[in-house]
């Protein structure tokens, strides 16, 4: 939905394609030395300090000893130039992997406050029970437009609520309306610390984190990172006794000032991650690290009602451009008179609605007829 973009530098690297070759530096120094000596000879002859027959012709004016000195100076110059690129420590393979960020990266931009209003309204229409989260993003988008920022920003969010109320789905729909790529991290199913930021070269399993992988793959400087069940992430201890926690990985990225000069552990280069936005989910505040809570906007979300589930089924069916009979089929699973003894009975239904639509006989027949057409 967001159409505007602007480009940010993202890094301060100089790529090797932009640097001169050794032979070019030697040729430039030789040409300069030759022109300097010829000019000095001409001035000396005109002033009477040198006879014309003592002139050294151009093909002899730079000798072998001069060329040896030129080569030494050229090598030293290129060594210093290469070391200032920021990639001198990387192997050729890893330099190639960084090619997508050459010249900077685009980030999504909110041009006007009206555009922020439209995004918030569309998101709220789909999932009105997520109003606290939508409102927080809305304020951030309006501020981005009002301040004329090159990209969009909102406070890092931690959405706390019962399982299945649509926290992650809401985050994916937000990314859709913002027109930004996403990366999903399950804090319980993988070492979240390494999944986000990666690990240093030298480890047997060294690799860039999902954040950097997304930036390189999508060629975008402002993705949306979704971290599921952040409160359940534990610490990781290496064989040397070093502790790695999700909090240690997140804190430099959640603060805009430090994120602007964040260093990737794998590539060991500084990147501007200050335009990355964060949505984390949790089932409860218990287990949420205090440093994370202090740097994020923590929102407690209510459980769903049957009417809200029916509304979601209708909007999901409409989003898929399904006819009314297909939508009605999914609504039969949630009659208005239904009451649930526990909140989890209702909450688990949000994730089931797309499945109910896809497995309904009417929907399968509809899909088969479309394929035949």
């Amino acid at each position: 939905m967001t159409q505007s973009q602007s480009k940010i530098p993202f890094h301060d690297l100089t790529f090797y394609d932009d640097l001169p070759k050794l032979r070019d530096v030697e040729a430039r120094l030789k040409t300069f030395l030759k022109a300097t000596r010829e000019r000095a000879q001409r001035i000396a002859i005109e002033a009477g300090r040198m006879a014309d027959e003592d002139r050294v012709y151009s093909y002899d004016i730079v000798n072998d000893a001069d060329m040896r000195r030129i080569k030494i100076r050229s090598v030293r110059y290129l060594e210093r130039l290469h070391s200032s690129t920021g990639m001198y420590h990387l192997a050729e393979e890893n330099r190639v992997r960084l090619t997508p960020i050459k010249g900077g990266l685009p980030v999504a931009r909110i041009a006007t406050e009206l555009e922020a209003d439209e995004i918030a309204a569309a998101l709220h229409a789909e999932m009105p029970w997520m109003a606290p989260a939508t409102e927080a993003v809305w304020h951030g988008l309006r501020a981005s437009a009002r301040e004329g920022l090159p990209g969009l920003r909102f406070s890092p969010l931690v959405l706390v609520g019962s399982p299945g109320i649509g926290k992650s789905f809401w985050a994916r729909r937000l990314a859709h309306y913002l027109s930004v790529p996403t990366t999903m991290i399950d804090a319980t199913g993988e070492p979240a610390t390494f999944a986000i930021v990666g690990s240093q070269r030298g480890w047997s399993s060294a690799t860039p984190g999902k954040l950097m992988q997304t930036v390189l793959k999508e060629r975008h400087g402002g993705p949306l990172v979704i971290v599921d069940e952040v409160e359940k992430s534990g610490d990781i201890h290496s064989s040397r006794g070093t502790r790695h926690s999700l909090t240690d990985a997140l804190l430099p990225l959640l603060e805009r000032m430090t994120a602007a000069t964040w260093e990737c552990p794998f590539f060991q280069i500084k990147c501007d991650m200050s335009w990355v936005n964060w949505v984390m989910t949790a089932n409860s505040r218990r287990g949420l690290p205090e440093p994370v809570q202090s740097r994020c906007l923590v929102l407690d979300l209510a459980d769903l009602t049957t009417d809200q589930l029916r509304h979601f089924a209708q909007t999901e069916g409409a989003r898929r451009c399904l006819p009314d009979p297909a939508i009605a089929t999914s609504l039969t699973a949630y009659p208005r008179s239904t009451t649930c003894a526990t909140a989890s009975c209702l909450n688990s239904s949000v994730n089931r609605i797309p499945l109910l639509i896809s497995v309904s006989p009417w929907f399968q027949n509809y899909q088969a007829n479309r394929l035949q057409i």
Side-chain angles (χ1 to χ4, degrees):
M1 195 167 181
T2 300
Q3 301 297 328
S4 303
Q5 286 189 336
S6 58
K7 182 168 283 192
I8 60 170
F10 189 73
H11 60 82
D12 56 358
L13 305 176
T14 303
F15 284 79
Y16 275 71
D17 291 345
D18 302 329
L19 297 178
K21 306 296 182 184
L22 177 61
R23 62 177 178 273
D24 296 331
V25 177
E26 291 179 350
R28 192 163 67 243
L29 291 179
K30 180 181 177 181
T31 300
F32 176 78
L33 179 60
K34 181 178 177 181
T36 301
R37 287 182 174 176
E38 287 179 339
R39 184 171 63 254
Q41 278 192 147
R42 185 171 59 254
I43 293 174
I45 291 173
E46 291 174 356
R49 295 193 302 271
M50 174 186 285
D52 188 62
E53 57 268 19
D54 295 332
R55 177 196 299 270
V56 179
Y57 291 98
S58 59
Y59 51 82
D60 282 334
I61 203 166
V62 178
N63 55 37
D64 291 342
D66 294 326
M67 289 305 301
R68 285 194 294 271
R69 287 193 293 270
I70 286 174
K71 187 174 186 65
I72 292 172
R73 292 192 177 188
S74 299
V75 169
R76 289 177 179 174
Y77 167 73
L78 286 179
E79 284 179 348
R80 293 184 179 182
L81 198 59
H82 287 184
S83 63
S84 68
T85 62
M87 297 187 293
Y88 193 53
H89 59 287
L90 294 176
E92 183 65 28
E93 174 188 356
N94 289 326
R95 292 181 203 145
V96 172
R97 295 173 72 178
L98 291 174
T99 303
I101 65 176
K102 179 181 178 181
L105 290 173
V107 293
R109 176 174 171 265
I110 301 296
T112 64
E113 293 184 64
L114 176 60
E115 186 178 1
D117 297 343
E118 292 173 346
I119 292 173
L123 191 57
H124 182 72
E126 283 192 31
M127 306 178 74
W129 64 91
M130 298 293 293
T134 303
E135 183 178 359
V137 171
W138 175 49
H139 288 309
L141 299 184
R142 285 181 64 88
S144 299
R146 190 165 53 250
E147 296 170 14
L149 298 180
L152 59 90
R153 285 175 173 168
F154 54 85
S155 299
L157 300 178
V158 179
L159 308 181
V160 181
S162 302
I165 63 172
K167 301 184 293 290
S168 299
F169 184 85
W170 175 88
R172 291 193 295 270
R173 295 303 295 160
L174 171 63
H176 166 75
Y177 285 117
L178 296 179
S179 301
V180 298
T182 62
T183 183
M184 291 284 299
I185 296 166
D186 184 357
T188 61
E190 54 187 327
T193 302
F194 296 141
I196 293 176
V197 302
S199 53
Q200 293 180 346
R201 289 178 297 112
W203 288 58
S204 59
S205 58
T207 182
K210 285 188 176 181
L211 174 56
M212 194 67 180
Q213 290 180 30
T214 301
V215 167
L216 295 175
K217 178 182 176 181
E218 303 293 341
R219 299 180 182 233
H220 197 283
L224 177 67
V225 182
I226 307 170
V227 185
D228 270 335
E229 299 188 347
V230 65
E231 85 282 12
K232 297 179 181 178
S233 174
D235 296 346
I236 299 174
H237 296 271
S238 68
S239 57
R240 297 180 179 179
T242 306
R243 183 182 67 88
H244 302 275
S245 69
L246 177 61
T247 303
D248 295 336
L250 280 177
L251 293 187
L253 291 165
L254 295 178
E255 296 181 350
R256 301 293 184 185
M257 185 176 297
T258 54
T261 56
W262 178 77
E263 182 171 317
C264 173
F266 180 80
F267 290 111
Q268 296 180 1
I269 62 171
K270 292 186 181 300
C271 307
D272 182 3
M273 294 294 185
S274 62
W275 300 104
V276 176
N277 288 292
W278 298 81
V279 175
M280 290 163 274
T281 71
N283 296 331
S284 121
R285 284 181 179 256
R286 184 179 301 132
L288 275 179
E290 182 58 35
V292 172
Q293 293 191 55
S294 66
R295 289 164 176 81
C296 299
L297 181 59
V298 184
L299 301 174
D300 293 298
L301 303 173
D303 293 336
L304 289 173
T305 65
T306 304
D307 288 340
Q308 289 171 334
L309 285 170
R310 291 175 62 86
H311 172 83
F312 179 72
Q314 289 174 325
T315 56
E316 181 68 12
R319 187 174 68 86
R320 298 186 180 204
C321 301
L322 299 181
D324 292 340
I327 298 175
T329 301
S330 65
L331 291 178
T332 58
Y334 309 104
R336 293 186 183 278
S337 59
T338 299
T339 58
C340 293
T342 62
S344 61
C345 176
L346 277 175
N347 296 337
S348 61
S349 302
V350 167
N351 297 328
R352 291 176 55 227
I353 286 175
L355 177 61
L356 287 173
I357 293 175
S358 63
V359 301
S360 66
W362 201 102
F363 179 74
Q364 292 177 347
N365 292 336
Y366 173 71
Q367 290 289 80
N369 292 334
R370 287 186 62 187
L371 291 176
Q372 290 176 2
I373 295 174

